[in-house]
C-alpha cells in the first residue's frame, strides 16, 4: 500500500505455479523490423552475410531483397515473451532448441510472437524453483510463421509455495 492507501502492482513474469501447460500467450504489441535493426544487429554480431548488408547483392538472390538477420528475429521473438512470462521470475535460461525459420522476415514486416507452455516440473536440484518448456512462434503481419524455437527456463516458485 502507498501512503495514499492505493495498492501497488509490480509488473512481473509468472511464478512456476502460474505456468499452465497448454496455455498460449499472445505477446503484444508486435515489433516492426527496420533496416536500422538489421544493419545494427548484423554488424554488432560480426555477421558479414551479404543477404543482410548488401542490397545490390540481395536483389539478385532468391527473395529479391535483404533479409532480416534470423538471429535478430529469434532474439526479438524470445524477448517479446519476457514481460509476460519471465520478467523478475527467471533464474536462468537453460536451453534453446528446435529453432527454425520457415519463411524470411523483411524490413517493414511486423513480428508477432506467441508462446505455448509445453511442459513444467519442479527442479530436482534447486529447491523453490521449477523448469518450464516454452514453444515460441513468430509470425509476420500476414500470419505467416517466420520463426519457431523451444526454450527451457528455470523460474522461481511463488514465495508462499516454499
Amino acid at each position: 500500500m502507498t501512503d495514499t492507501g492505493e495498492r501497488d502492482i509490480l509488473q512481473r513474469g509468472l511464478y512456476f505455479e502460474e505456468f499452465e501447460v497448454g496455455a498460449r500467450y499472445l505477446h503484444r504489441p508486435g515489433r516492426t523490423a527496420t533496416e536500422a535493426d538489421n544493419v545494427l544487429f548484423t554488424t554488432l554480431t560480426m555477421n558479414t552475410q551479404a543477404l543482410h548488408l548488401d542490397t545490390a547483392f540481395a536483389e539478385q538472390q532468391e527473395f529479391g531483397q535483404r533479409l532480416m538477420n534470423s538471429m535478430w528475429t529469434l532474439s526479438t521473438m524470445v524477448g517479446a515473451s519476457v514481460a509476460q512470462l519471465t520478467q523478475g521470475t527467471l533464474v536462468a535460461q537453460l536451453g534453446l532448441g528446435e529453432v527454425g525459420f520457415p519463411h524470411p522476415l523483411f524490413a517493414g514486416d511486423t513480428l508477432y510472437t506467441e508462446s505455448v507452455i509445453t511442459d513444467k516440473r519442479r527442479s530436482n536440484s534447486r529447491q523453490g524453483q521449477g523448469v518450464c518448456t516454452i514453444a515460441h512462434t513468430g509470425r509476420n503481419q500476414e500470419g505467416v510463421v517466420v520463426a519457431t524455437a523451444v526454450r527451457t527456463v528455470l523460474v522461481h516458485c511463488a514465495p508462499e509455495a516454499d
Side-chain angles (χ1 to χ4, degrees), residues 3-72:
D3 292 341
T4 61
E6 297 166 339
R7 188 167 64 109
D8 289 334
I9 298 174
L10 178 65
Q11 180 178 335
R12 64 163 172 83
L14 304 177
Y15 287 112
F16 173 76
E17 294 79 9
E18 296 171 310
F19 280 89
E20 181 184 331
V21 173
R24 181 171 60 139
Y25 298 87
L26 305 177
H27 310 297
R28 300 296 183 265
R31 174 65 159 79
T32 300
T34 68
E35 290 187 25
D37 293 327
N38 199 33
V39 171
L40 180 61
F41 188 90
T42 297
T43 55
L44 282 173
T45 57
M46 299 179 65
N47 180 339
T48 60
Q49 177 52 256
L51 286 171
H52 306 311
L53 296 172
D54 185 334
T55 298
F57 173 81
E59 286 175 346
Q60 302 304 310
Q61 303 308 307
E62 181 175 346
F63 296 106
Q65 61 180 305
R66 286 188 295 158
L67 308 176
M68 286 300 293
N69 186 312
S70 59
M71 294 295 99
W72 181 90

Side-chain angles (χ1 to χ4, degrees), residues 34-159:
T34 68
E35 290 187 25
D37 293 327
N38 199 33
V39 171
L40 180 61
F41 188 90
T42 297
T43 55
L44 282 173
T45 57
M46 299 179 65
N47 180 339
T48 60
Q49 177 52 256
L51 286 171
H52 306 311
L53 296 172
D54 185 334
T55 298
F57 173 81
E59 286 175 346
Q60 302 304 310
Q61 303 308 307
E62 181 175 346
F63 296 106
Q65 61 180 305
R66 286 188 295 158
L67 308 176
M68 286 300 293
N69 186 312
S70 59
M71 294 295 99
W72 181 90
T73 304
L74 176 63
S75 296
T76 304
M77 179 177 67
V78 170
S81 74
V82 169
Q84 196 171 12
L85 298 181
T86 60
Q87 179 67 45
T89 58
L90 180 79
V91 177
Q93 178 164 285
L94 301 177
L96 194 59
E98 300 178 41
V99 176
F101 303 100
H103 189 275
L105 190 71
F106 303 106
D109 285 347
T110 300
L111 177 65
Y112 292 99
T113 301
E114 60 191 57
S115 302
V116 175
I117 310 309
T118 60
D119 192 31
K120 73 178 219 179
R121 65 172 177 79
R122 286 276 194 157
S123 173
N124 295 325
S125 60
R126 299 181 65 97
Q127 185 176 356
Q129 297 175 0
V131 177
C132 296
T133 304
I134 307 167
H136 298 288
T137 301
R139 299 175 189 275
N140 68 15
Q141 66 280 359
E142 296 166 356
V144 176
V145 175
V146 297
T148 57
V150 175
R151 184 166 69 123
T152 306
V153 296
L154 183 66
V155 295
H156 289 289
C157 292

